[in-house]
Amino acid sequence: MSIELKTYVFIDSLQPQLAAYMGSVSQGFLPVPGDACLWLEVSPGMAIHRLTDIALKATRVHLSQQVVERAFGTMVIHQRDQSDVLEAGRTVLNRLGVGEGDRQKCQVAWTEIIRAVTPDHAVLINRQNRRGSMILPGQSLFILETEPAGYIVYAANEAEKAANVTLVDARAVGAFGRLTMAGREADADVAAAAAVNAVESLSGRIR
C-alpha cells in the first residue's frame, strides 16, 4: 500500500517553552529543552505503527507522541544526541523509498498579528483549551495556521528562538496546525517573521 509523506521536520534543539508544552501533551517519554526532535506525519494513519517500530529500533531515540487517525498518523521522536534523531529519520525515509524533499511542502494558510489585545479577548483565549501560558491584555497576539499540521512545531520553535514571546498554544494534529503566541508588539513582529520564514523555506512537493 502506498504511503504518503506529509510532514517531515527536524528540530535541532527544542526551546524551553515548546519542550514544556510538548511535555504537557506527551503520552510517552517527555522531551526536555535542548533535545533534538523529529516530527513525522504520513497517510494513511495506520502506517505510523510500522514506521515507529523502524525508528525506535534504529537508534536510541525516545517516542514522545503517537497519534493514529484514519487519514494521517503522527510520530514524534527525540533524543539529546542529534545524530540519533537524524539517523532514525534517515532509516524511516529509506524504508519508505523517499527523500526529505518528497514531503508535502508547508503552506501558510493564515497568519496575522492582533495588536493590543483587549481584556475580553485575552480572557476568552485563556479560558479555551490551551496548554501553554496566558496572554495578557495589551499584548500583541501572533497567530499562524499551516498545512500540514505538523510544521507548526517547527514554526513555534523558530519563533521562540528569535524573540521574547510567550507560547500560548500550538496544535500540530489535524488537518491544519495552529500556533498562538503573545508578547510586546515588536517581539510579536519578529516572532511572526521568523516562524513564517522558517516554514516557507522548507523544501517539499506541492500537493
Side-chain angles (χ1 to χ4, degrees), residues 102-183:
D102 292 310
R103 63 192 170 188
Q104 186 176 330
K105 186 168 179 59
C106 179
Q107 300 293 321
V108 174
W110 189 271
T111 181
E112 190 170 8
I113 296 177
I114 311 296
R115 305 184 188 279
V117 169
T118 66
D120 284 13
H121 197 178
V123 168
L124 186 104
I125 292 171
N126 291 333
R127 285 174 62 88
Q128 291 173 341
N129 186 27
R130 63 173 177 81
R131 293 184 181 272
S133 299
M134 291 191 295
I135 180 173
L136 302 178
Q139 289 185 321
S140 290
L141 174 69
F142 161 51
I143 53 178
L144 176 68
E145 189 175 52
T146 64
E147 182 187 15
Y151 289 111
I152 211 71
V153 293
Y154 186 58
N157 203 66
E158 294 305 301
E160 189 178 341
K161 281 182 181 178
N164 182 24
V165 284
T166 297
L167 176 59
V168 179
D169 210 1
R171 305 187 186 193
V173 175
F176 293 87
R178 292 176 177 172
L179 173 64
T180 307
M181 298 185 118

Side-chain angles (χ1 to χ4, degrees), residues 7-9 22 37-41 65 74-76 150 153 172-173:
T7 303
Y8 182 95
V9 63
M22 290 174 63
C37 173
L38 177 67
W39 196 286
L40 187 143
E41 180 185 354
Q65 188 172 343
T74 299
M75 169 184 73
V76 185
V153 293
V173 175

